[in-house]
Amino acid sequence: MGNFLLKLGGRAFELKWAVIAIWLVILAGLGGTALYYMKPMSSSISIPGTEAQKTFDRYGELFPDEGKGSGRIVFSVEKGASLDNYKQPINELLAKIKGVDNVTGIVNPFDNPYGVTDDRRIGYAVIQMEGETGSISQTTTDKIETLTKDAATSGLEINRGGDLNRKVPDEILGIGEIAGVLIALMVLVITLGSLVAAGMPLITALVAVGASAAGLFSLSQVIDINSTTPALAVMLGLAVGIDYSLFIINRYRSLLLEGYDYKTAASRAIATAGSAVLFAAATVVIALSSLVVIQIPFMTTMGLTAAATVAAAAIIAVTLIPAMLGIAGSRIFRGKTRQRIIKAQKIGVKHNEHAPHTSRWWKWGNFLTKYPYAIIAVCVLAIAIVAYPAKDMKLGLPTDEYAAVGTTERRAYDLLAEGFGSGFNGPLLVLVENMPATSDADREAVRKPIMDEFNKRVATEEAAATAQLQTQAAQITSPEEYMAFEQQVAAAQAEGEQKKQAALSEVEKQIDSYAPLYKYNQIANRIAKLDNVKQALPAATAEDGKVGVIQVIPKTGPSDQATTDLVASLRDVNSQQDFIQHKGATIGVTGATAMQIDINKKLADALPIYLAVVVGLSLVLLVVAFRSILVPLKATLGFLLSVAAMFGALVAVFQWGWFGIAEAPGPIVSMIPIIAIGILFGLAMDYEFFLVSGMHEAHNHTRDAHKAVLRGFHQGAAVVVAAGAIMVSVFAGFITNHDTTIQALGFALTIGILVDAFIVRMTIVPAVMQLLGSSAWWLPKWLDRLLPHIAIEGEAKHK
């Protein structure tokens, strides 16, 4: 690998314009493909295989016109007022919305017996649209938004809920993200001492972001792209693209100061630092690709996209950086650095084996190794305090319930909960299959109460008509009037009989439509007796009554534990037999609330599995890299400390609402912990490699454990601090993003990197290595023979 990278760096340095041209062609090709195949992103989250998803898919097969995107327009007036006074503007608005492209149906609140509250203050219209939930056309949602805003009138409040609000962010990079990149540029200038050198990592990062984003959208016809995925690619592309380039350029500068000419320094920088970059990138790629093991499609897409972005950043760094170094030549560094390079090249190659004991990093390392127990105790205590809130972590999804206060979706949710109950926002759909077909007994059971009511109504009407005729007959005074009266009676009887037959025909139709619902109404009545059920009503049937749907409205909200318990009760096999009372019939529970419950459970169950995979992976990789048992254990425990602190801070800020950073505190978005673990693991291992590899090399040369810790720390500290600062600034920029998921992920990674780079790696690691001494590098001989030998930067540079 070292020889290949040595030649690669030299050739890229020589053929600089060809390398630049190749990357421009690749970018243009990917960009053109993306523009041609790109389709809109989706904000929907689904996990095939869960009971709710399987039931929903089956529901869509049986009722193809249902299960599509839908939303509610909620109308409300002040207390004491009535929506009836605003019928005209409401009807006019709904008529206009009905004409919007992709709107397939509307249920007017005044036509729905349950559409307006008893006090007439709050009502809702249901808007059905083409497209799946979370994937409604932006043109449709924008037009409906405009119409509802234009319809606003004094005294009438109009809000939109569900799919009428677009959840896909309109922008990936905003002011905060740009500010983060500018701060990263400042760190680069300070670290490298040159604006030209500092600009190269930014160019590399932008190329990596462009290539990965274009590649992602090129595949959008064959994979579903969640709205968070591109932002994740940009976040990672910027961070690792800058960091990997920084490692290489920093090594390039060191080689120049040792007296190497520019081409040789570029070649050796790619062979040494480039090798470390590829190894570090491989760990990130493996960690993120391991998301495949949890078997959740949208998480797999996110993980593979992020992995591809990291791989692209590493490949671009080891090919594009030497080309840019070739173009810059001696102009890359200015001032004192350039003078020192010229002087070193005149003297010739001379390795600097000894770090100056007066440098700030040597002094800091010496302080850490002088008081290791106290340092470790203070750091662990500080991390424990930050991590404490993690015990209360609650996972959830970004629904209207947790939208920012004052937004139209949150107002719609709160008004519906106020007017119709908390559970109205999270109805459950109970799909009953394999029931007997509608029988004559069902029709007769339905017929009797309907016909009794019909006959009672007819008898009342006939009695009233007879009484009226008797009153008229008493007023007759002549034969002529009597003859006219008889004709009138005959005409009235004929008309009455005709109306009766027409009404009877309608009643028969009503009986035919209600008959299939009869047994489902019985099931609904039994379900309604469960605790926490406010209402249960049959909604639809299919296949001659063999399949039916019952809508269940809980008393509690979608995220309440009582609602979760209700779903579990409905799914309980023993309870189902009590409900349906038909052998062979089955029940499935779906709906947005049931899906959310299943997704949260699936992701929560996957979290410890994925963490175990990542921890196991870290142990294996570090044992191979450092040929040690204790160093990998120390690194893994340090990673777990960083994870704990990251989760604790995330809960405190985004679940508890500390510091006012989160617009709408609520459960942590279910996917964030898993994604954050994968990214943090890869980056933490980067810092471990670049810091501990120097200690390993120094120990191999000196066999003095204390000096090895100080020399290795001095060698890697500056670049780890710079890399950590860059990562923190880039990730922190995403905290200002308008998308809650991206905002929370940016915050989590900011805290995770801050703790891992500056507390775990730069503080705890040297103290622990001092305590371990030479035993840190102990490895059983039998294991040493089995493990492959992999050279990372510190061990490769003197070969």
Side-chain angles (χ1 to χ4, degrees):
M1 175 65 79
N3 290 333
F4 170 76
L5 291 176
L6 187 74
K7 294 178 181 177
L8 176 65
R11 296 296 289 170
F13 188 92
E14 291 176 344
L15 304 174
K16 43 190 175 291
W17 294 112
V19 173
I20 299 292
I22 289 171
W23 278 114
L24 288 175
V25 170
I26 291 173
L27 281 177
L30 288 173
T33 306
L35 288 174
Y36 185 78
Y37 289 108
M38 185 168 59
K39 70 176 185 180
M41 296 177 289
S42 169
S43 62
S44 63
I45 297 176
S46 63
I47 302 180
T50 61
E51 180 173 341
Q53 188 63 50
K54 289 190 291 187
T55 303
F56 184 78
D57 293 341
R58 178 62 177 157
Y59 174 68
E61 294 173 5
L62 296 167
F63 304 93
D65 294 332
E66 304 293 335
K68 302 297 182 181
S70 68
R72 293 186 181 121
I73 296 180
V74 182
F75 304 95
S76 62
V77 294
E78 297 290 336
K79 289 184 178 179
S82 172
L83 282 178
D84 295 320
N85 298 329
Y86 296 89
K87 272 190 177 183
Q88 182 177 347
I90 290 175
N91 289 333
E92 288 176 354
L93 169 62
L94 296 178
K96 291 177 181 177
I97 292 176
K98 192 172 183 178
V100 174
D101 289 343
N102 300 319
V103 172
T104 58
I106 290 179
V107 180
N108 191 304
F110 301 112
D111 297 334
N112 179 359
Y114 304 103
V116 182
T117 56
D118 293 339
D119 61 5
R120 312 302 288 176
R121 279 193 54 243
I122 302 171
Y124 67 93
V126 179
I127 312 297
Q128 296 286 348
M129 296 166 287
E130 290 182 1
E132 301 298 328
T133 296
S135 303
I136 306 301
S137 165
Q138 183 177 358
T139 305
T140 301
T141 56
D142 288 351
K143 181 62 176 176
I144 294 175
E145 178 182 1
T146 301
L147 289 173
T148 53
K149 288 182 178 180
D150 291 344
T153 184
S154 178
L156 177 66
E157 183 180 352
I158 305 175
N159 290 286
R160 306 179 313 280
D163 285 323
L164 296 180
N165 296 295
R166 183 171 169 79
K167 302 292 194 304
V168 178
D170 294 324
E171 59 181 26
I172 296 176
L173 287 178
I175 295 176
E177 290 85 346
I178 294 172
V181 173
L182 292 177
I183 294 173
L185 177 60
M186 291 174 57
V187 174
L188 287 169
V189 171
I190 294 170
T191 304
L192 298 176
S194 163
L195 189 60
V196 174
M200 290 182 182
L202 281 182
I203 294 173
T204 303
L206 292 175
V207 172
V209 167
S212 58
L216 174 65
F217 285 114
S218 296
L219 298 173
S220 60
Q221 293 292 332
V222 294
I223 60 174
D224 291 327
I225 300 177
N226 184 274
S227 58
T228 306
T229 305
L232 177 63
V234 171
M235 193 185 299
L236 265 182
L238 287 173
V240 300
I242 292 173
D243 264 13
Y244 291 163
S245 301
L246 168 64
F247 294 142
I248 293 173
I249 295 173
N250 185 65
R251 181 67 185 133
Y252 175 70
R253 182 180 61 177
S254 298
L255 290 167
L256 290 175
L257 291 172
E258 289 179 7
Y260 288 100
D261 63 81
Y262 288 98
K263 178 185 174 182
T264 304
S267 300
R268 293 182 68 86
I270 298 302
T272 55
S275 177
V277 161
L278 291 178
F279 191 86
T283 65
V284 186
V285 169
I286 293 171
L288 293 171
S289 299
S290 297
L291 285 169
V292 174
V293 303
I294 63 177
Q295 297 181 348
I296 300 175
F298 78 91
M299 292 290 289
T300 298
T301 300
M302 293 177 72
L304 293 179
T305 299
T309 301
V310 172
I315 293 171
I316 290 168
V318 299
T319 54
L320 192 57
I321 287 295
M324 289 191 288
L325 294 176
I327 294 172
S330 61
R331 299 182 298 277
I332 185 171
F333 297 111
R334 298 287 182 180
K336 293 181 180 180
T337 302
R338 187 174 182 181
Q339 294 302 319
R340 290 170 59 198
I341 290 172
I342 293 173
K343 182 179 178 180
Q345 289 177 338
K346 287 180 179 179
I347 296 174
V349 177
K350 182 179 180 181
H351 297 297
N352 182 15
E353 295 290 348
H354 303 286
H357 293 198
T358 57
S359 77
R360 61 181 179 274
W361 299 121
W362 184 279
K363 291 179 180 179
W364 176 244
N366 194 51
F367 171 76
L368 296 176
T369 56
K370 191 175 182 180
Y371 307 103
Y373 290 106
I375 294 295
I376 294 170
V378 170
C379 290
V380 171
L381 178 61
I383 291 175
I385 292 172
V386 176
Y388 181 75
K391 67 182 180 60
D392 294 329
M393 180 183 286
K394 180 181 179 182
L395 300 180
L397 295 176
T399 61
D400 289 354
E401 180 181 6
Y402 297 107
V405 175
T407 58
T408 186
E409 55 265 45
R410 178 62 177 270
R411 282 291 296 156
Y413 181 94
D414 291 342
L415 286 168
L416 289 173
E418 176 189 343
F420 300 94
S422 299
F424 186 81
N425 284 292
L428 304 172
L429 292 180
V430 177
L431 179 65
V432 185
E433 294 191 80
N434 302 321
M435 290 286 285
T438 303
S439 64
D440 291 339
D442 293 332
R443 289 187 174 86
E444 190 57 34
V446 171
R447 176 186 297 277
K448 187 177 185 307
I450 293 178
M451 287 304 299
D452 288 346
E453 179 65 27
F454 173 74
N455 291 330
K456 183 179 178 181
R457 188 175 73 249
V458 169
T460 301
E461 291 173 354
E462 287 179 347
T466 301
Q468 183 180 6
L469 290 174
Q470 288 173 347
T471 301
Q472 291 177 356
Q475 297 174 354
I476 296 174
T477 59
S478 67
E480 290 80 6
E481 289 180 350
Y482 185 76
M483 290 180 62
F485 174 70
E486 283 187 331
Q487 292 176 353
Q488 181 184 348
V489 170
Q493 288 177 340
E495 182 181 358
E497 184 62 28
Q498 186 178 4
K499 287 183 178 180
K500 179 180 177 180
Q501 292 302 319
L504 184 60
S505 177
E506 291 300 318
V507 167
E508 290 294 341
K509 291 180 181 178
Q510 186 181 27
I511 291 171
D512 289 340
S513 64
Y514 283 5
L517 292 172
Y518 174 71
K519 49 182 169 288
Y520 298 103
N521 189 58
Q522 291 180 312
I523 296 173
N525 290 337
R526 298 183 195 112
I527 291 175
K529 295 177 182 178
L530 286 174
D531 291 339
N532 199 35
V533 174
K534 181 178 181 179
Q535 185 184 66
L537 294 171
T541 63
E543 297 184 354
D544 194 23
K546 294 179 181 179
V547 177
V549 177
I550 299 169
Q551 185 182 65
V552 178
I553 306 294
K555 294 177 182 177
T556 52
S559 61
D560 289 349
Q561 181 59 43
T563 305
T564 302
D565 295 340
L566 174 59
V567 171
S569 295
L570 290 171
R571 288 173 172 171
D572 181 72
V573 176
N574 295 325
S575 298
Q576 288 182 2
Q577 291 305 312
D578 293 337
F579 300 148
I580 54 183
Q581 296 184 0
H582 286 280
K583 189 176 180 180
T586 59
I587 281 182
V589 183
T590 188
T593 299
M595 286 188 175
Q596 177 176 326
I597 291 169
D598 286 357
I599 290 172
N600 290 342
K601 185 178 186 304
K602 179 77 172 180
L603 290 173
D605 291 344
L607 182 59
I609 297 173
Y610 181 63
L611 184 59
V613 170
V614 168
V615 167
L617 177 66
S618 70
L619 288 171
V620 172
L621 287 174
L622 291 172
V623 167
V624 172
F626 295 118
R627 315 199 73 72
S628 163
I629 297 295
L630 296 179
V631 168
L633 287 174
K634 176 265 305 172
T636 301
L637 291 174
F639 165 67
L640 292 177
L641 287 175
S642 302
V643 169
M646 176 175 68
F647 286 171
L650 189 62
V651 169
V653 172
F654 282 86
Q655 185 173 312
W656 293 355
W658 286 12
F659 310 119
I661 295 175
E663 292 183 356
I668 305 303
V669 179
S670 303
M671 71 180 81
I672 288 178
I674 294 178
I675 289 290
I677 283 176
I679 295 173
L680 182 62
F681 164 73
L683 300 178
M685 294 306 103
D686 284 356
Y687 303 141
E688 184 74 12
F689 287 136
F690 289 112
L691 193 62
V692 179
S693 61
M695 299 178 187
H696 192 194
E697 177 201 4
H699 186 267
N700 288 338
H701 284 300
T702 65
R703 295 299 169 182
D704 186 319
H706 178 65
K707 288 183 179 179
V709 171
L710 292 180
R711 288 186 183 180
F713 183 75
H714 176 270
Q715 176 182 317
V719 72
V720 169
V721 167
I726 289 169
M727 288 283 187
V728 167
S729 63
V730 171
F731 289 140
F734 285 84
I735 298 176
T736 63
N737 197 284
H738 298 299
D739 183 273
T740 304
T741 304
I742 297 170
Q743 185 185 35
L745 183 59
F747 176 82
L749 292 173
T750 298
I751 298 299
I753 296 300
L754 195 64
V755 170
D756 194 86
F758 296 101
I759 298 181
V760 173
R761 309 302 160 188
M762 288 294 295
T763 307
I764 295 178
V765 164
V768 172
M769 293 298 289
Q770 171 66 22
L771 292 177
L772 293 177
S774 295
S775 63
W777 310 110
W778 173 78
L779 183 72
K781 291 183 179 180
W782 64 268
L783 185 57
D784 184 55
R785 290 192 296 269
L786 292 176
L787 294 177
H789 287 264
I790 298 177
I792 51 180
E793 180 187 355
E795 296 169 312
K797 66 181 183 181
H798 290 302
K799 289 185 179 181

